[in-house]
Amino acid sequence: MVRTQQQRRIDSIIVNGLLIMICLISIFPVAYALSTSFKTQREVISKPPYLIPQNWSTDGYDQVLKSSLIRPHLLNTFINATGSSIIIVVLGVLAAYAFSRYKFPGNKLLQLVILGMIMIPTLTNLIALYRLGSQFDLLNTNIYMILIYVANGLPFGIWIIKAAIDAIPIEIEESARIDGCGPLQVIRYIILPLALPGLVTAFLMEFVFFWNEFLIAVVMLDNNNAKTATVGLLNFQNSYQTAYHVWMAGSVFIIAPVLITFFVLRRQFFRAMLQGAVKG
Amino acid sequence: MKKRFLLLTVLVLAIMTSIASAQDRPAITVWTKFNSDTPQNVQDEWMKAAVDDYNAAGGSITNVFQPYDQINSKLNLAVQAGGDVPDVSYVDGQFLGFYDYNGTLTDITEWVKAQSWFEDLSPAALSACTTPAGVILCVPTATPGSLTYYWTELYPEGFPATAEQLLNEDCPRLSADGRYVATFKGTENFGLEVAYHSLIRSAGAAISDEDGRAAWANDEMVKVIEYVRSLFANKCAPEIALAGGFDFENSFKDNSAAAILAGTWTYVFNNPVTAPNGTLYDLGADSIFTAAQDGQIGFAPPLAFEGGQPASNVYATAWAIPTGSANPDEAKEFINFTMESQRNADFGVAYGSLPSLLSARENEMFQTGYWQQVAEIQNTYGTAMPFLVEYDRGIAALAEVFTKCLTDTSLDIMATLQAAQDNYNNSIQ
Amino acid sequence: MIAATTKKESRTAARFRLSWRSLVPFWLLLPSLIFLAVLQLYPVIYSLYISLHRLRAGQYMPVGFRNFERLFADTNFYEGLAVSFRFVGISLVLTIGIGMLVAVLLNQRSQFNALYMVLMFVPWVVSDVVAGTIWRWLFQQDYGIIQNMIQPLTGSTSLYAKPDGALLIVILATVWRGLPFTSLLFLGALQNVSTEVIESAALDGANRWKTFFRVTLPIIRPTLIVAVILTTIAGLNSVGVILTLTGNIPATQTVSVYLYEQGWQFGDFGLGAAISVVMFFINLGLTLVYLRFQRQD
C-alpha cells in the first residue's frame, strides 16, 4: 500500500495542525499570565477581559522589584534548587554505578526500597524533619533545605541515572579496568562522558522539581530571609484579595530562569529521554 | 605607640558600649499576617509604621509575614516541634481553645492585669482572650464582627429586618431587575463565620453544645440550610458564592448584588465599587466610606430570621507570646507600644474593626456614621463563637455540610448534618 | 562482572583484593544511604511513632491505634478517597490518551518538531502554585478570559462554582502540566520500535490503527506502565494545584488535601501521620497492581 503524494500532504496538514493546537494550549495560560503582568490594577478587573493590555504598565514589576521576591526569595530558590540537584546527580552517579555494575547481596532489594521511597507522601516526613532541624539548629537555612531536597529527590535521581549507566556497554569499562583504573576513575573518565545526557536529564528534572517545590518549603520555612520564591509569592496574596498583575509579574520572575535552564539543556534532555532515560 | 594604644582602647570601648546598648533592647521577631515588606493595603501599612516607629524608638523588631491561612498552624508547629518560635505573634481570637489545648501560648494574666490599658479594654475584647478558666492568653487589639452592607438605591426602605422578607419580597423585586439580593461567601470557615452565623443563631440552632460537642442535627439547622438553598434556587444569590476563594465580592462591587453579608473589615478590600447610578468610587479603603457619605451605601445588622435576634459574630485580633519566646519582656514592650491609644485606634481603622481600647473608640476617626453603626450593632447583637478545642475542624465540618447541601440539592439535609455531627464528635481527640 | 581475579595472582593478594572490591559498592552507596537513612527512613519511622501518639504541648501521649480508628471512622476520609480516584482516574486517562496522540503526531517527524517540543514543554517548568493561580485566573467569574468564552455553555456562573466544574478545572490544569513529559516518554518508546515490525504488519494488510493497537502498543507497554505509575503517584499526592485553584471545598478535597487539612492546618499531627501511612500503602498497592500487568506475559 503506497500512499500518494496528496495523502501525505493531507496527513502532514493534519499532523501539523493538531500539534500547533496542542502548542497553543500549552503556552496560552503562561502567555496570558505574561500579558496580565503588564496590565494595571484597573485593567486586571475589567469586564470583559482583554487578551492584550490596553495600557502597558510595569506596575506589577515595580511592586515585585520593591519586594523581597527576587532577593532573598528567588536567590534562595536558586541556591536550594541548584545545590540539591548537583548533589543528587553526584551521589546518584555513585549509587547508580554500584547498583548497575556490582553484584552484592541485597542489591535488588535495596534498589526496591529506595524506589519505594518515591511513594512516601511529602507531608509525612515534615514534622520529623522540622524537629530534626531545630535540634541541629538548622531550621530556616539553605543548607537544611538542600539536605532535605537531596534526600527527597535522590530515589528518583538514582533510578534515572541507573538507566543511563545500564545503557553503557560494559566492555568499554573493562579495558580501562585492565589498565588499572579504580571505580572512581572509571566513573570520572568513562561513565560521566558517556552517560552525560542521562545525567543532564536527572539534573534538569530535579532542578525543575525543586525550583518549584512548595509544600516542604511552606511548612518548613518561617523566616523571611529563608523563604523561597514559591512561598514568597504568597506575600502578594493576603486575606481577601489577590493583586493578580503583581502575582503574575512575580510568576514571570519565577518561570523565566527555569525556562531558560530548560532551553539550554533541552537537546541533551530530549536525546536522553528519547533513548529511554525513564525505564520500566 | 601611645596613640595607637589609645585608638585601640577607644575602639574596644566603642564596640563594648555598642554591644552593651544592643543588649539593652534585644532584637525580637514578630509573626503577623501583615506584609510590612511590600505593603498591599492599609493593614500592611499600619504594620510597616509600627515596625519603623518601634525601631526608631530604640527597639529592634523584625516582622515575619505568614500567610493568613497558615499563621495559626505554623505557630502551633513551631511551639510543638521546638522551631524558631517568634517572640510575639499575631493570633486570631477564635483559636483560643486550640491554643489553650495545645499549650501554644504563655499565660500572661498577671501581666495584662497590671498594665495601664487593662481598665481601658472593652469587656468583649478581653473575654475573647480569656479562657473559661479565667486565664488570659492574649492581648486583644481589635474586635472585628459581621454586618451587612447594602446599596441604598436598591433597598429604598432600608435592608429588610428579616430573612423571610428578603427572600419573599425583595428577591422577586430585585431579580426582576436582574439583580441578586445579596452576595456572600458560602463555603469554607469564612462563610460560616460571616454569612451563616447570624442565621444559625437567630434560628435557635447552635454551633456546639456546652461540652464543645457538635449539636447540628436539628430542625433549626435544617431550616437555615433550606433557607439558603431557596436563596440560590430562586436566583436571589450568585452561585459564585459557592466557589472557594473571594470572587463573590465582585457582585457587590459592580452592584449586581444589592447587598453583601460582610465583616467590619470589608471596606479595606472591597474596592473600587460602582453604585447603581453609575458613580465609580475608586479611593482605596475610603471608597465604601465615601459612597456611604453620598448616601449610596447603608449598613445593617447581620441577616436574621423572624422571631430571632441578629447575631454579629464578634471575635478578636490579638497579640500573644508563644511558649518558648526568647524575649518575653521585650515582646511585652512591643505589645505595650502598640496598645497606646492612638496606635490602637489606627490599627482599628487599618484592620477594619473597632479597636479594643475604649479610649481609642472615642477617637474622632470612629465618630463617623459607619463606626457608630458598627459600635451599635456590636453592642446590641455581638455574640462570640463558642470556645472550641478544635475550632478550625469543627467550623470546617459544619461549613462542609452547608457546601455539600447547597451544591447538591438532592442531598438530605438532616441525614448529612447527622453524619457530620457523629463524625465530628467521634473524631475529636 | 568485573570482580574476576586473574589466576596468576597469589591467594592472599586475591583475598585482599576481593574483600576490598566487594566493599566498593558499599563505599559508593554510603553517601546516598546516609542521606536516605537520616532524612527519609528516620522521619518515616518517626511518623509511625507519631501515628500512635497524641502530641499536645510538646508532649507525646501514647494512644495506641486510636488515630487509625478515628481515621477509619471519618467519612471525610472515604469521600476524599472517592474524589482522589475520580481525579486520578480521569486525569490518567486524559494524560495517557492525549500524551499518546501527541507522541504519535510527533513521531511523524514534522520538520517543526524541535519547535513544537520546546513550546509544549513550557507547562512542565511551571510550578504547581503558579499553575493553579493562572488557571483559576483563566476561569475567574468576571475577569476570566476562558470563562468569558465558555459563558454560553455554563450560564452566568463560573465553572468552578459548580462541584464537577471545579474538579474538571483541576483535572485540566493537571493534565496540562503532565502532558509534555508523558508525550516525550511515549515518543521515546515509539522511536525505539523498529520500523521493520511496523512495515511487515503493514504488508500483512493491517491498516494504521490496527498496526498501532496490535503491534506498536504491546511493544511499548513497559513505558506505558511507567507513565501510568508516575502519573498516578503525582496525582494522588497533588496538593498545590488543588488548593490554589479551588480552595479546600468538598468537591476537590482529595485524600492528599485531606491529609494537608488534618495533619497540617488543624495541627492534628497524630491523625496526619496515620493518613500518611495509609496513603503510602495505597501508592505502593497501586504500583504493585500496575507492575503485575507488566509481568503478565
Side-chain angles (χ1 to χ4, degrees):
Chain A
M1 219 169 59
V2 179
R3 276 183 274 149
T4 62
Q5 187 96 33
Q6 198 174 6
Q7 264 178 315
R8 277 198 195 152
R9 189 169 294 161
I10 292 172
D11 275 7
S12 162
I13 290 173
I14 293 175
V15 164
N16 283 296
L18 283 172
L19 284 171
I20 289 170
M21 205 176 78
I22 302 252
C23 286
L24 285 179
I25 295 172
S26 295
I27 58 167
F28 176 74
V30 175
Y32 187 57
L34 187 67
S35 149
T36 304
S37 72
F38 284 106
K39 289 180 179 172
T40 56
Q41 170 85 56
R42 174 73 60 76
E43 228 175 285
V44 163
I45 49 167
S46 68
K47 280 206 264 186
Y50 302 113
L51 199 56
I52 310 272
Q54 302 287 296
N55 304 300
W56 290 76
S57 151
T58 55
D59 179 47
Y61 290 90
D62 293 343
Q63 289 207 44
V64 169
L65 288 173
K66 269 193 295 181
S67 75
S68 44
L69 188 75
I70 311 293
R71 260 173 81 102
H73 300 157
L74 201 62
L75 188 65
N76 287 331
T77 296
F78 176 78
I79 293 170
N80 296 352
T82 315
S84 53
S85 315
I86 289 175
I87 297 176
I88 287 171
V89 171
V90 171
L91 298 188
V93 168
L94 300 181
Y97 186 75
F99 281 135
S100 175
R101 295 299 197 240
Y102 290 90
K103 258 186 199 145
F104 55 90
N107 181 329
K108 268 271 140 61
L109 182 71
L110 198 55
Q111 281 188 54
L112 276 178
V113 169
I114 292 179
L115 205 56
M117 289 177 175
I118 297 178
M119 321 281 169
I120 302 169
T122 315
L123 271 168
T124 311
N125 293 345
L126 293 186
I127 310 297
L129 290 174
Y130 196 96
R131 282 185 84 101
L132 205 62
S134 80
Q135 275 156 10
F136 289 92
D137 215 11
L138 283 170
L139 279 182
N140 295 315
T141 60
N142 289 328
I143 292 174
Y144 195 48
M145 288 309 282
I146 291 175
L147 295 180
I148 293 173
Y149 284 169
V150 168
N152 195 271
L154 203 49
F156 191 74
I158 292 176
W159 186 45
I160 301 277
I161 296 171
K162 183 176 172 288
I165 296 180
D166 282 345
I168 300 171
I170 201 158
E171 294 75 26
I172 300 176
E173 285 166 51
E174 267 163 6
S175 56
R177 294 236 152 204
I178 290 163
D179 291 345
C181 287
L184 289 181
Q185 283 165 305
V186 171
I187 291 173
R188 168 76 181 78
Y189 294 107
I190 296 177
I191 300 296
L192 278 193
L194 288 176
L196 193 64
L199 302 186
V200 168
T201 301
F203 172 83
L204 185 64
M205 287 172 72
E206 303 283 3
F207 181 77
V208 168
F209 187 83
F210 291 117
W211 183 276
N212 293 327
E213 203 287 322
F214 174 71
L215 206 50
I216 298 175
V218 81
V219 173
M220 299 293 296
L221 299 175
D222 300 326
N223 184 321
N224 208 33
N225 293 323
K227 278 182 187 172
T228 54
T230 44
V231 180
L233 205 51
L234 296 180
N235 289 16
F236 302 119
Q237 181 191 42
N238 48 33
S239 320
Y240 311 116
Q241 77 199 143
T242 303
Y244 276 105
H245 63 305
V246 187
W247 177 287
M248 296 302 170
S251 301
V252 169
F253 278 111
I254 296 178
I255 295 173
V258 69
L259 196 60
I260 292 168
T261 309
F262 161 74
F263 193 76
V264 169
L265 299 177
R266 73 187 190 287
R267 291 220 169 82
Q268 308 260 26
F269 171 65
F270 285 150
R271 191 194 310 160
M273 287 290 294
L274 293 179
Q275 284 164 358
V278 179
K279 278 214 171 120
Chain B
M1 197 64 190
K2 242 183 187 176
K3 248 185 188 170
R4 203 175 281 176
F5 183 73
L6 204 71
L7 207 73
L8 207 73
T9 321
V10 170
L11 208 75
V12 168
L13 270 176
I15 290 170
M16 277 173 67
T17 46
S18 74
I19 290 172
S21 64
Q23 275 168 347
D24 279 344
R25 301 289 295 268
I28 56 169
T29 306
V30 58
W31 284 7
T32 66
K33 54 179 191 176
F34 311 126
N35 181 3
S36 59
D37 178 36
T38 327
Q40 302 283 305
N41 55 42
V42 281
Q43 301 179 350
D44 296 349
E45 271 150 19
W46 178 88
M47 191 63 207
K48 184 171 162 44
V51 168
D52 291 350
D53 294 351
Y54 188 72
N55 289 343
S60 173
I61 193 163
T62 311
N63 174 36
V64 179
F65 169 82
Q66 305 289 4
Y68 74 100
D69 55 353
Q70 307 257 341
I71 187 164
N72 295 299
S73 315
K74 294 202 85 144
L75 191 63
N76 182 44
L77 177 66
V79 171
Q80 301 272 355
D84 291 346
V85 177
D87 301 288
V88 52
S89 178
Y90 170 93
V91 294
D92 288 312
Q94 310 99 294
F95 284 80
L96 201 68
F98 172 79
Y99 284 135
D100 184 36
Y101 175 83
N102 284 305
T104 318
L105 308 179
T106 51
D107 177 352
I108 47 174
T109 315
E110 295 311 315
W111 178 75
V112 169
K113 285 184 173 164
Q115 299 312 302
S116 57
W117 37 259
F118 177 70
E119 294 296 326
D120 196 13
L121 279 177
S122 116
L126 181 63
S127 85
C129 272
T130 313
T131 68
V135 177
I136 300 175
L137 290 177
C138 54
V139 176
T141 49
T143 54
S146 47
L147 79 164
T148 308
Y149 292 17
Y150 64 92
W151 291 109
T152 48
E153 194 181 319
L154 303 174
Y155 289 106
E157 280 151 46
F159 194 73
T162 68
E164 287 86 350
Q165 202 183 328
L166 184 79
L167 177 66
N168 300 326
E169 293 166 28
D170 294 292
C171 181
R173 174 176 66 82
L174 284 163
S175 55
D177 201 17
R179 283 202 163 84
Y180 303 111
V181 288
T183 185
F184 52 87
K185 178 148 174 75
T187 58
E188 299 175 286
N189 292 15
F190 186 90
L192 198 79
E193 290 170 329
V194 177
Y196 302 141
H197 177 259
S198 178
L199 287 171
I200 292 171
R201 292 289 178 110
S202 66
I207 307 282
S208 75
D209 64 13
E210 280 166 8
D211 304 326
R213 295 170 69 80
W216 304 329
N218 47 49
D219 292 335
E220 290 79 16
M221 197 68 89
V222 173
K223 176 184 171 186
V224 177
I225 298 181
E226 270 175 352
Y227 173 79
V228 185
R229 254 190 192 172
S230 48
L231 279 184
F232 287 108
N234 294 308
K235 305 237 175 284
C236 311
E239 260 187 280
I240 189 72
L242 297 175
F246 290 89
D247 297 327
F248 69 95
E249 294 180 336
N250 296 326
S251 305
F252 181 73
K253 289 189 208 170
D254 65 12
N255 71 64
S256 60
I260 182 168
L261 307 187
T264 50
W265 60 86
T266 296
Y267 68 89
V268 176
F269 306 99
N270 225 321
N271 53 70
V273 291
T274 309
N277 69 7
T279 316
L280 172 74
Y281 295 92
D282 189 6
L283 301 159
D286 280 331
S287 308
I288 298 269
F289 292 158
T290 314
Q293 270 163 20
D294 289 357
Q296 294 286 342
I297 288 181
F299 308 103
L303 191 59
F305 287 110
E306 200 175 330
Q309 277 252 327
S312 176
N313 175 15
V314 175
Y315 61 100
T317 62
W319 296 120
I321 300 178
T323 311
S325 161
N327 300 297
D329 293 333
E330 185 66 11
K332 286 168 183 167
E333 284 295 312
F334 177 72
I335 295 175
N336 265 331
F337 171 78
T338 63
M339 292 305 281
E340 184 265 316
S341 190
Q342 180 65 39
R343 201 172 287 278
N344 184 243
D346 289 341
F347 178 75
V349 173
Y351 193 84
S353 56
L354 287 175
S356 59
L357 295 179
L358 296 172
S359 66
R361 291 182 184 183
E362 299 298 315
N363 194 298
E364 60 175 345
M365 290 187 289
F366 295 100
Q367 309 313 314
T368 62
Y370 178 71
W371 291 112
Q372 294 291 327
Q373 241 164 322
V374 166
E376 198 192 312
I377 289 168
Q378 292 201 350
N379 289 336
T380 322
Y381 304 116
T383 22
M385 275 288 187
F387 182 82
L388 289 180
V389 166
E390 303 217 38
Y391 177 83
D392 215 7
R393 172 180 283 156
I395 300 297
L398 184 54
E400 256 179 40
V401 175
F402 273 78
T403 313
K404 280 182 193 163
C405 291
L406 294 172
T407 47
D408 179 359
T409 46
S410 65
L411 221 54
D412 182 68
I413 297 176
M414 186 62 107
T416 314
L417 280 168
Q418 185 71 51
Q421 172 180 323
D422 294 345
N423 201 31
Y424 175 74
N425 289 340
N426 279 329
S427 73
I428 44 179
Q429 299 190 39
Chain C
M1 266 310 285
I2 306 159
T5 46
T6 45
K7 289 173 199 166
K8 285 169 192 165
E9 281 170 325
S10 75
R11 275 188 152 187
T12 45
R15 191 181 300 154
F16 172 77
R17 192 157 295 190
L18 257 178
S19 63
W20 190 84
R21 282 200 171 170
S22 60
L23 278 180
V24 164
F26 172 74
W27 292 119
L28 292 174
L29 283 169
L30 189 64
S32 296
L33 293 182
I34 291 175
F35 264 94
L36 295 175
V38 177
L39 296 169
Q40 284 269 34
L41 211 57
Y42 164 74
V44 165
I45 294 167
Y46 194 87
S47 290
L48 288 175
Y49 175 81
I50 300 178
S51 73
L52 302 175
H53 289 76
R54 178 200 294 170
L55 180 57
R56 179 183 171 181
Q59 301 296 315
Y60 287 93
M61 285 168 282
V63 291
F65 288 96
R66 175 85 180 107
N67 288 321
F68 288 92
E69 284 168 23
R70 285 166 60 214
L71 174 63
F72 291 124
D74 189 353
T75 48
N76 288 329
F77 169 61
Y78 300 104
E79 283 165 23
L81 279 179
V83 175
S84 274
F85 282 105
R86 228 147 63 97
F87 164 62
V88 173
I90 300 173
S91 36
L92 189 64
V93 169
L94 289 176
T95 310
I96 300 295
I98 305 176
M100 190 61 84
L101 174 74
V102 173
V104 169
L105 292 174
L106 286 173
N107 203 27
Q108 306 303 310
R109 296 168 202 250
S110 151
Q111 48 185 333
F112 304 114
N113 258 12
L115 177 67
Y116 292 149
M117 279 163 75
V118 168
L119 292 179
M120 237 174 254
F121 257 79
V122 168
W124 185 63
V125 304
V126 177
S127 110
D128 50 357
V129 189
V130 172
T133 314
I134 293 179
W135 277 78
R136 182 187 176 82
W137 180 230
L138 293 177
F139 284 93
Q140 211 267 357
Q141 163 95 26
D142 301 296
Y143 319 125
I145 196 145
I146 295 191
Q147 182 60 41
N148 257 268
M149 295 177 198
I150 60 169
Q151 204 82 308
L153 299 173
T154 61
S156 60
T157 314
S158 165
L159 198 56
Y160 63 68
K162 302 178 201 296
D164 290 340
L167 191 61
L168 178 70
I169 301 177
V170 172
I171 290 171
L172 289 179
T174 305
V175 173
W176 178 74
R177 285 184 76 228
L179 198 61
F181 190 75
T182 314
S183 308
L184 189 61
L185 268 185
F186 290 155
L187 181 61
L190 287 178
Q191 291 193 350
N192 288 339
V193 176
S194 79
T195 43
E196 287 163 32
V197 182
I198 307 289
E199 274 164 15
S200 68
L203 284 179
D204 290 345
N207 65 23
R208 281 194 272 175
W209 291 104
K210 260 190 187 161
T211 315
F212 179 75
F213 281 106
R214 299 247 172 97
V215 182
T216 313
L217 211 53
I219 296 178
I220 63 170
R221 194 162 73 178
T223 310
L224 191 67
I225 285 166
V226 170
V228 168
I229 292 175
L230 290 178
T231 312
T232 305
I233 294 176
L236 276 176
N237 296 310
S238 163
V239 174
V241 174
I242 299 174
L243 282 181
T244 42
L245 238 170
T246 64
N248 188 1
I249 56 171
T252 57
Q253 198 190 71
T254 62
V255 74
S256 53
V257 174
Y258 173 74
L259 166 61
Y260 176 90
E261 182 195 56
Q262 302 285 332
W264 169 235
Q265 192 193 330
F266 296 166
D268 193 341
F269 304 123
L271 186 65
I275 304 169
S276 295
V277 172
V278 174
M279 269 184 75
F280 172 76
F281 283 108
I282 292 174
N283 284 342
L284 196 66
L286 281 176
T287 309
L288 293 178
V289 169
Y290 292 144
L291 287 177
R292 272 197 74 106
F293 282 106
Q294 194 167 13
R295 295 220 190 96
Q296 239 166 20
D297 46 9

